[in-house]
Amino acid sequence: DAEITQSPRHKITETGRQVTLACHQTWNHNNMFWYRQDLGHGLRLIHYSYGVQDTNKGEVSDGYSVSRSNTEDLPLTLESAASSQTSVYFCASSDKKSSYNEQFFGPGTRLTVL
Amino acid sequence: DAKTTQPTSMDCAEGRAANLPCNHSTISGNEYVYWYRQIHSQGPQYIIHGLKNNETNEMASLIITEDRKSSTLILPHATLRDTAVYYCIVAYSGNTPLVFGKGTRLSVIA
């Protein structure tokens, strides 16, 4: 069955290190999104992509970058991890051809920056 | 910022209907109302969406007022597994990113 996966599921890192979170989907969806969720809050959009070589900044993009070299993957990189980036990160994808906005979410990555 | 207002929390007895309200007074003519839910620590899950008419699927019903300024998500027979945070989101169809508010935490009680 088609799915969306994230790895690692849990990550502990130190301040200043570069960290990359992986997101892989097998639906062949053009649209992919990264959100972060902090305790007691809803999801906030970090970056998104509508296709290969396309990337766009979201509400909270500072300190994060993405690249889209193929349809299946949208890795999220924290250039220099900060304690404020401790959060749960969710990746999502949706079908460009769909007439409505159903996004499929991955299981999340819990990142702790010490 | 989210364009919707929802109660912070609600309780519902198991087996009864759960009615979750949402206000979206600034919704534009081409924007849809989407509902997602997030069960503890999991990724959000799509439930239902609508534009003007009431909608029903195997999970829930969506009632949208005639002026489109508010809506209600109805879970007809709530179970313990429906305990989750429910997000009401206003967005255009297709590819636009979703803006999540804080949602309503629904607790289904046995």
Side-chain angles (χ1 to χ4, degrees), chain B residues 78-98:
Chain B
T79 71
L80 298 178
R81 288 178 294 179
D82 292 321
T83 292
V85 177
Y86 287 78
Y87 298 98
C88 171
I89 300 167
V90 166
Y92 294 100
S93 65
N95 304 321
T96 56
L98 301 174

mmCIF file with all atom_site columns, all heavy atoms in Angstrom, chain B residues 78-98:
data_model
loop_
_atom_site.group_PDB
_atom_site.id
_atom_site.type_symbol
_atom_site.label_atom_id
_atom_site.label_alt_id
_atom_site.label_comp_id
_atom_site.label_asym_id
_atom_site.label_entity_id
_atom_site.label_seq_id
_atom_site.pdbx_PDB_ins_code
_atom_site.Cartn_x
_atom_site.Cartn_y
_atom_site.Cartn_z
_atom_site.occupancy
_atom_site.B_iso_or_equiv
_atom_site.pdbx_formal_charge
_atom_site.auth_seq_id
_atom_site.auth_comp_id
_atom_site.auth_asym_id
_atom_site.auth_atom_id
_atom_site.pdbx_PDB_model_num
ATOM 1   N N   . ALA B 1 78 ? -20.378 8.643  18.928 1.00 0.00 ? 78 ALA B N   1
ATOM 2   C CA  . ALA B 1 78 ? -18.978 8.746  19.339 1.00 0.00 ? 78 ALA B CA  1
ATOM 3   C C   . ALA B 1 78 ? -18.521 7.504  20.104 1.00 0.00 ? 78 ALA B C   1
ATOM 4   O O   . ALA B 1 78 ? -19.265 6.944  20.921 1.00 0.00 ? 78 ALA B O   1
ATOM 5   C CB  . ALA B 1 78 ? -18.789 9.987  20.201 1.00 0.00 ? 78 ALA B CB  1
ATOM 6   N N   . THR B 1 79 ? -17.303 7.090  19.821 1.00 0.00 ? 79 THR B N   1
ATOM 7   C CA  . THR B 1 79 ? -16.682 5.997  20.554 1.00 0.00 ? 79 THR B CA  1
ATOM 8   C C   . THR B 1 79 ? -15.422 6.520  21.240 1.00 0.00 ? 79 THR B C   1
ATOM 9   O O   . THR B 1 79 ? -14.948 7.621  20.950 1.00 0.00 ? 79 THR B O   1
ATOM 10  C CB  . THR B 1 79 ? -16.298 4.836  19.621 1.00 0.00 ? 79 THR B CB  1
ATOM 11  O OG1 . THR B 1 79 ? -15.192 5.247  18.799 1.00 0.00 ? 79 THR B OG1 1
ATOM 12  C CG2 . THR B 1 79 ? -17.466 4.443  18.726 1.00 0.00 ? 79 THR B CG2 1
ATOM 13  N N   . LEU B 1 80 ? -14.861 5.698  22.116 1.00 0.00 ? 80 LEU B N   1
ATOM 14  C CA  . LEU B 1 80 ? -13.651 6.107  22.824 1.00 0.00 ? 80 LEU B CA  1
ATOM 15  C C   . LEU B 1 80 ? -12.528 6.417  21.848 1.00 0.00 ? 80 LEU B C   1
ATOM 16  O O   . LEU B 1 80 ? -11.666 7.267  22.114 1.00 0.00 ? 80 LEU B O   1
ATOM 17  C CB  . LEU B 1 80 ? -13.234 5.014  23.811 1.00 0.00 ? 80 LEU B CB  1
ATOM 18  C CG  . LEU B 1 80 ? -14.241 4.692  24.924 1.00 0.00 ? 80 LEU B CG  1
ATOM 19  C CD1 . LEU B 1 80 ? -13.714 3.566  25.801 1.00 0.00 ? 80 LEU B CD1 1
ATOM 20  C CD2 . LEU B 1 80 ? -14.549 5.927  25.754 1.00 0.00 ? 80 LEU B CD2 1
ATOM 21  N N   . ARG B 1 81 ? -12.523 5.744  20.701 1.00 0.00 ? 81 ARG B N   1
ATOM 22  C CA  . ARG B 1 81 ? -11.472 5.959  19.712 1.00 0.00 ? 81 ARG B CA  1
ATOM 23  C C   . ARG B 1 81 ? -11.600 7.299  18.997 1.00 0.00 ? 81 ARG B C   1
ATOM 24  O O   . ARG B 1 81 ? -10.696 7.692  18.252 1.00 0.00 ? 81 ARG B O   1
ATOM 25  C CB  . ARG B 1 81 ? -11.491 4.827  18.681 1.00 0.00 ? 81 ARG B CB  1
ATOM 26  C CG  . ARG B 1 81 ? -10.990 3.500  19.224 1.00 0.00 ? 81 ARG B CG  1
ATOM 27  C CD  . ARG B 1 81 ? -11.073 2.422  18.186 1.00 0.00 ? 81 ARG B CD  1
ATOM 28  N NE  . ARG B 1 81 ? -12.464 2.118  17.815 1.00 0.00 ? 81 ARG B NE  1
ATOM 29  C CZ  . ARG B 1 81 ? -12.817 1.233  16.909 1.00 0.00 ? 81 ARG B CZ  1
ATOM 30  N NH1 . ARG B 1 81 ? -11.886 0.559  16.238 1.00 0.00 ? 81 ARG B NH1 1
ATOM 31  N NH2 . ARG B 1 81 ? -14.075 1.001  16.643 1.00 0.00 ? 81 ARG B NH2 1
ATOM 32  N N   . ASP B 1 82 ? -12.720 7.995  19.214 1.00 0.00 ? 82 ASP B N   1
ATOM 33  C CA  . ASP B 1 82 ? -12.887 9.327  18.625 1.00 0.00 ? 82 ASP B CA  1
ATOM 34  C C   . ASP B 1 82 ? -12.280 10.415 19.504 1.00 0.00 ? 82 ASP B C   1
ATOM 35  O O   . ASP B 1 82 ? -12.300 11.594 19.130 1.00 0.00 ? 82 ASP B O   1
ATOM 36  C CB  . ASP B 1 82 ? -14.373 9.612  18.398 1.00 0.00 ? 82 ASP B CB  1
ATOM 37  C CG  . ASP B 1 82 ? -14.970 8.739  17.317 1.00 0.00 ? 82 ASP B CG  1
ATOM 38  O OD1 . ASP B 1 82 ? -14.290 8.493  16.299 1.00 0.00 ? 82 ASP B OD1 1
ATOM 39  O OD2 . ASP B 1 82 ? -16.122 8.292  17.492 1.00 0.00 ? 82 ASP B OD2 1
ATOM 40  N N   . THR B 1 83 ? -11.757 10.063 20.649 1.00 0.00 ? 83 THR B N   1
ATOM 41  C CA  . THR B 1 83 ? -11.064 11.042 21.488 1.00 0.00 ? 83 THR B CA  1
ATOM 42  C C   . THR B 1 83 ? -9.846  11.558 20.727 1.00 0.00 ? 83 THR B C   1
ATOM 43  O O   . THR B 1 83 ? -8.966  10.778 20.340 1.00 0.00 ? 83 THR B O   1
ATOM 44  C CB  . THR B 1 83 ? -10.635 10.405 22.818 1.00 0.00 ? 83 THR B CB  1
ATOM 45  O OG1 . THR B 1 83 ? -11.792 10.105 23.588 1.00 0.00 ? 83 THR B OG1 1
ATOM 46  C CG2 . THR B 1 83 ? -9.738  11.348 23.608 1.00 0.00 ? 83 THR B CG2 1
ATOM 47  N N   . ALA B 1 84 ? -9.822  12.881 20.511 1.00 0.00 ? 84 ALA B N   1
ATOM 48  C CA  . ALA B 1 84 ? -8.784  13.461 19.653 1.00 0.00 ? 84 ALA B CA  1
ATOM 49  C C   . ALA B 1 84 ? -8.915  14.980 19.684 1.00 0.00 ? 84 ALA B C   1
ATOM 50  O O   . ALA B 1 84 ? -9.863  15.522 20.249 1.00 0.00 ? 84 ALA B O   1
ATOM 51  C CB  . ALA B 1 84 ? -8.926  12.964 18.210 1.00 0.00 ? 84 ALA B CB  1
ATOM 52  N N   . VAL B 1 85 ? -7.974  15.657 19.044 1.00 0.00 ? 85 VAL B N   1
ATOM 53  C CA  . VAL B 1 85 ? -8.101  17.093 18.792 1.00 0.00 ? 85 VAL B CA  1
ATOM 54  C C   . VAL B 1 85 ? -8.654  17.253 17.383 1.00 0.00 ? 85 VAL B C   1
ATOM 55  O O   . VAL B 1 85 ? -8.112  16.673 16.429 1.00 0.00 ? 85 VAL B O   1
ATOM 56  C CB  . VAL B 1 85 ? -6.751  17.814 18.926 1.00 0.00 ? 85 VAL B CB  1
ATOM 57  C CG1 . VAL B 1 85 ? -6.920  19.297 18.592 1.00 0.00 ? 85 VAL B CG1 1
ATOM 58  C CG2 . VAL B 1 85 ? -6.197  17.649 20.340 1.00 0.00 ? 85 VAL B CG2 1
ATOM 59  N N   . TYR B 1 86 ? -9.719  18.037 17.262 1.00 0.00 ? 86 TYR B N   1
ATOM 60  C CA  . TYR B 1 86 ? -10.384 18.237 15.979 1.00 0.00 ? 86 TYR B CA  1
ATOM 61  C C   . TYR B 1 86 ? -10.105 19.659 15.489 1.00 0.00 ? 86 TYR B C   1
ATOM 62  O O   . TYR B 1 86 ? -10.331 20.626 16.196 1.00 0.00 ? 86 TYR B O   1
ATOM 63  C CB  . TYR B 1 86 ? -11.884 18.013 16.123 1.00 0.00 ? 86 TYR B CB  1
ATOM 64  C CG  . TYR B 1 86 ? -12.213 16.542 16.290 1.00 0.00 ? 86 TYR B CG  1
ATOM 65  C CD1 . TYR B 1 86 ? -12.022 15.906 17.509 1.00 0.00 ? 86 TYR B CD1 1
ATOM 66  C CD2 . TYR B 1 86 ? -12.684 15.789 15.223 1.00 0.00 ? 86 TYR B CD2 1
ATOM 67  C CE1 . TYR B 1 86 ? -12.287 14.549 17.662 1.00 0.00 ? 86 TYR B CE1 1
ATOM 68  C CE2 . TYR B 1 86 ? -12.957 14.435 15.357 1.00 0.00 ? 86 TYR B CE2 1
ATOM 69  C CZ  . TYR B 1 86 ? -12.745 13.831 16.580 1.00 0.00 ? 86 TYR B CZ  1
ATOM 70  O OH  . TYR B 1 86 ? -13.005 12.491 16.726 1.00 0.00 ? 86 TYR B OH  1
ATOM 71  N N   . TYR B 1 87 ? -9.625  19.748 14.266 1.00 0.00 ? 87 TYR B N   1
ATOM 72  C CA  . TYR B 1 87 ? -9.260  21.027 13.672 1.00 0.00 ? 87 TYR B CA  1
ATOM 73  C C   . TYR B 1 87 ? -10.248 21.395 12.568 1.00 0.00 ? 87 TYR B C   1
ATOM 74  O O   . TYR B 1 87 ? -10.479 20.604 11.651 1.00 0.00 ? 87 TYR B O   1
ATOM 75  C CB  . TYR B 1 87 ? -7.867  20.977 13.066 1.00 0.00 ? 87 TYR B CB  1
ATOM 76  C CG  . TYR B 1 87 ? -6.752  20.701 14.050 1.00 0.00 ? 87 TYR B CG  1
ATOM 77  C CD1 . TYR B 1 87 ? -6.226  19.427 14.207 1.00 0.00 ? 87 TYR B CD1 1
ATOM 78  C CD2 . TYR B 1 87 ? -6.211  21.739 14.809 1.00 0.00 ? 87 TYR B CD2 1
ATOM 79  C CE1 . TYR B 1 87 ? -5.193  19.182 15.098 1.00 0.00 ? 87 TYR B CE1 1
ATOM 80  C CE2 . TYR B 1 87 ? -5.181  21.504 15.704 1.00 0.00 ? 87 TYR B CE2 1
ATOM 81  C CZ  . TYR B 1 87 ? -4.677  20.218 15.841 1.00 0.00 ? 87 TYR B CZ  1
ATOM 82  O OH  . TYR B 1 87 ? -3.657  19.986 16.722 1.00 0.00 ? 87 TYR B OH  1
ATOM 83  N N   . CYS B 1 88 ? -10.772 22.596 12.665 1.00 0.00 ? 88 CYS B N   1
ATOM 84  C CA  . CYS B 1 88 ? -11.600 23.173 11.608 1.00 0.00 ? 88 CYS B CA  1
ATOM 85  C C   . CYS B 1 88 ? -10.716 24.144 10.836 1.00 0.00 ? 88 CYS B C   1
ATOM 86  O O   . CYS B 1 88 ? -10.092 25.031 11.431 1.00 0.00 ? 88 CYS B O   1
ATOM 87  C CB  . CYS B 1 88 ? -12.786 23.889 12.238 1.00 0.00 ? 88 CYS B CB  1
ATOM 88  S SG  . CYS B 1 88 ? -13.772 24.886 11.116 1.00 0.00 ? 88 CYS B SG  1
ATOM 89  N N   . ILE B 1 89 ? -10.631 23.983 9.526  1.00 0.00 ? 89 ILE B N   1
ATOM 90  C CA  . ILE B 1 89 ? -9.710  24.768 8.713  1.00 0.00 ? 89 ILE B CA  1
ATOM 91  C C   . ILE B 1 89 ? -10.451 25.327 7.506  1.00 0.00 ? 89 ILE B C   1
ATOM 92  O O   . ILE B 1 89 ? -11.210 24.609 6.851  1.00 0.00 ? 89 ILE B O   1
ATOM 93  C CB  . ILE B 1 89 ? -8.543  23.889 8.220  1.00 0.00 ? 89 ILE B CB  1
ATOM 94  C CG1 . ILE B 1 89 ? -7.774  23.298 9.408  1.00 0.00 ? 89 ILE B CG1 1
ATOM 95  C CG2 . ILE B 1 89 ? -7.604  24.683 7.316  1.00 0.00 ? 89 ILE B CG2 1
ATOM 96  C CD1 . ILE B 1 89 ? -6.820  22.196 9.016  1.00 0.00 ? 89 ILE B CD1 1
ATOM 97  N N   . VAL B 1 90 ? -10.225 26.590 7.238  1.00 0.00 ? 90 VAL B N   1
ATOM 98  C CA  . VAL B 1 90 ? -10.784 27.218 6.045  1.00 0.00 ? 90 VAL B CA  1
ATOM 99  C C   . VAL B 1 90 ? -9.663  27.360 5.025  1.00 0.00 ? 90 VAL B C   1
ATOM 100 O O   . VAL B 1 90 ? -8.605  27.906 5.334  1.00 0.00 ? 90 VAL B O   1
ATOM 101 C CB  . VAL B 1 90 ? -11.382 28.591 6.392  1.00 0.00 ? 90 VAL B CB  1
ATOM 102 C CG1 . VAL B 1 90 ? -11.659 29.389 5.137  1.00 0.00 ? 90 VAL B CG1 1
ATOM 103 C CG2 . VAL B 1 90 ? -12.652 28.413 7.203  1.00 0.00 ? 90 VAL B CG2 1
ATOM 104 N N   . ALA B 1 91 ? -9.876  26.858 3.827  1.00 0.00 ? 91 ALA B N   1
ATOM 105 C CA  . ALA B 1 91 ? -8.825  26.906 2.817  1.00 0.00 ? 91 ALA B CA  1
ATOM 106 C C   . ALA B 1 91 ? -9.435  26.768 1.431  1.00 0.00 ? 91 ALA B C   1
ATOM 107 O O   . ALA B 1 91 ? -10.545 26.266 1.265  1.00 0.00 ? 91 ALA B O   1
ATOM 108 C CB  . ALA B 1 91 ? -7.808  25.781 3.041  1.00 0.00 ? 91 ALA B CB  1
ATOM 109 N N   . TYR B 1 92 ? -8.687  27.209 0.435  1.00 0.00 ? 92 TYR B N   1
ATOM 110 C CA  . TYR B 1 92 ? -9.095  26.989 -0.941 1.00 0.00 ? 92 TYR B CA  1
ATOM 111 C C   . TYR B 1 92 ? -8.870  25.531 -1.291 1.00 0.00 ? 92 TYR B C   1
ATOM 112 O O   . TYR B 1 92 ? -8.101  24.833 -0.649 1.00 0.00 ? 92 TYR B O   1
ATOM 113 C CB  . TYR B 1 92 ? -8.305  27.899 -1.881 1.00 0.00 ? 92 TYR B CB  1
ATOM 114 C CG  . TYR B 1 92 ? -8.612  29.362 -1.694 1.00 0.00 ? 92 TYR B CG  1
ATOM 115 C CD1 . TYR B 1 92 ? -7.750  30.175 -0.962 1.00 0.00 ? 92 TYR B CD1 1
ATOM 116 C CD2 . TYR B 1 92 ? -9.775  29.929 -2.224 1.00 0.00 ? 92 TYR B CD2 1
ATOM 117 C CE1 . TYR B 1 92 ? -8.031  31.514 -0.773 1.00 0.00 ? 92 TYR B CE1 1
ATOM 118 C CE2 . TYR B 1 92 ? -10.062 31.268 -2.028 1.00 0.00 ? 92 TYR B CE2 1
ATOM 119 C CZ  . TYR B 1 92 ? -9.190  32.058 -1.307 1.00 0.00 ? 92 TYR B CZ  1
ATOM 120 O OH  . TYR B 1 92 ? -9.474  33.381 -1.115 1.00 0.00 ? 92 TYR B OH  1
ATOM 121 N N   . SER B 1 93 ? -9.539  25.084 -2.316 1.00 0.00 ? 93 SER B N   1
ATOM 122 C CA  . SER B 1 93 ? -9.368  23.705 -2.743 1.00 0.00 ? 93 SER B CA  1
ATOM 123 C C   . SER B 1 93 ? -8.020  23.534 -3.404 1.00 0.00 ? 93 SER B C   1
ATOM 124 O O   . SER B 1 93 ? -7.320  24.517 -3.680 1.00 0.00 ? 93 SER B O   1
ATOM 125 C CB  . SER B 1 93 ? -10.477 23.320 -3.717 1.00 0.00 ? 93 SER B CB  1
ATOM 126 O OG  . SER B 1 93 ? -10.359 24.081 -4.893 1.00 0.00 ? 93 SER B OG  1
ATOM 127 N N   . GLY B 1 94 ? -7.657  22.296 -3.640 1.00 0.00 ? 94 GLY B N   1
ATOM 128 C CA  . GLY B 1 94 ? -6.432  22.027 -4.376 1.00 0.00 ? 94 GLY B CA  1
ATOM 129 C C   . GLY B 1 94 ? -5.185  22.079 -3.540 1.00 0.00 ? 94 GLY B C   1
ATOM 130 O O   . GLY B 1 94 ? -5.071  21.406 -2.540 1.00 0.00 ? 94 GLY B O   1
ATOM 131 N N   . ASN B 1 95 ? -4.248  22.925 -3.921 1.00 0.00 ? 95 ASN B N   1
ATOM 132 C CA  . ASN B 1 95 ? -2.889  22.788 -3.431 1.00 0.00 ? 95 ASN B CA  1
ATOM 133 C C   . ASN B 1 95 ? -2.505  23.694 -2.270 1.00 0.00 ? 95 ASN B C   1
ATOM 134 O O   . ASN B 1 95 ? -1.393  23.589 -1.779 1.00 0.00 ? 95 ASN B O   1
ATOM 135 C CB  . ASN B 1 95 ? -1.914  23.077 -4.578 1.00 0.00 ? 95 ASN B CB  1
ATOM 136 C CG  . ASN B 1 95 ? -2.173  22.185 -5.766 1.00 0.00 ? 95 ASN B CG  1
ATOM 137 O OD1 . ASN B 1 95 ? -2.471  21.021 -5.616 1.00 0.00 ? 95 ASN B OD1 1
ATOM 138 N ND2 . ASN B 1 95 ? -2.075  22.754 -6.956 1.00 0.00 ? 95 ASN B ND2 1
ATOM 139 N N   . THR B 1 96 ? -3.351  24.563 -1.829 1.00 0.00 ? 96 THR B N   1
ATOM 140 C CA  . THR B 1 96 ? -2.922  25.550 -0.842 1.00 0.00 ? 96 THR B CA  1
ATOM 141 C C   . THR B 1 96 ? -2.596  24.900 0.500  1.00 0.00 ? 96 THR B C   1
ATOM 142 O O   . THR B 1 96 ? -3.284  23.973 0.924  1.00 0.00 ? 96 THR B O   1
ATOM 143 C CB  . THR B 1 96 ? -3.998  26.609 -0.615 1.00 0.00 ? 96 THR B CB  1
ATOM 144 O OG1 . THR B 1 96 ? -5.220  25.959 -0.237 1.00 0.00 ? 96 THR B OG1 1
ATOM 145 C CG2 . THR B 1 96 ? -4.222  27.418 -1.864 1.00 0.00 ? 96 THR B CG2 1
ATOM 146 N N   . PRO B 1 97 ? -1.562  25.384 1.174  1.00 0.00 ? 97 PRO B N   1
ATOM 147 C CA  . PRO B 1 97 ? -1.227  24.831 2.494  1.00 0.00 ? 97 PRO B CA  1
ATOM 148 C C   . PRO B 1 97 ? -2.365  25.067 3.484  1.00 0.00 ? 97 PRO B C   1
ATOM 149 O O   . PRO B 1 97 ? -3.128  26.021 3.357  1.00 0.00 ? 97 PRO B O   1
ATOM 150 C CB  . PRO B 1 97 ? 0.026   25.616 2.898  1.00 0.00 ? 97 PRO B CB  1
ATOM 151 C CG  . PRO B 1 97 ? 0.585   26.124 1.621  1.00 0.00 ? 97 PRO B CG  1
ATOM 152 C CD  . PRO B 1 97 ? -0.590  26.392 0.740  1.00 0.00 ? 97 PRO B CD  1
ATOM 153 N N   . LEU B 1 98 ? -2.439  24.213 4.467  1.00 0.00 ? 98 LEU B N   1
ATOM 154 C CA  . LEU B 1 98 ? -3.458  24.333 5.499  1.00 0.00 ? 98 LEU B CA  1
ATOM 155 C C   . LEU B 1 98 ? -2.915  25.139 6.670  1.00 0.00 ? 98 LEU B C   1
ATOM 156 O O   . LEU B 1 98 ? -1.748  25.026 7.028  1.00 0.00 ? 98 LEU B O   1
ATOM 157 C CB  . LEU B 1 98 ? -3.883  22.945 5.977  1.00 0.00 ? 98 LEU B CB  1
ATOM 158 C CG  . LEU B 1 98 ? -4.458  22.023 4.897  1.00 0.00 ? 98 LEU B CG  1
ATOM 159 C CD1 . LEU B 1 98 ? -4.695  20.632 5.468  1.00 0.00 ? 98 LEU B CD1 1
ATOM 160 C CD2 . LEU B 1 98 ? -5.737  22.601 4.321  1.00 0.00 ? 98 LEU B CD2 1
#
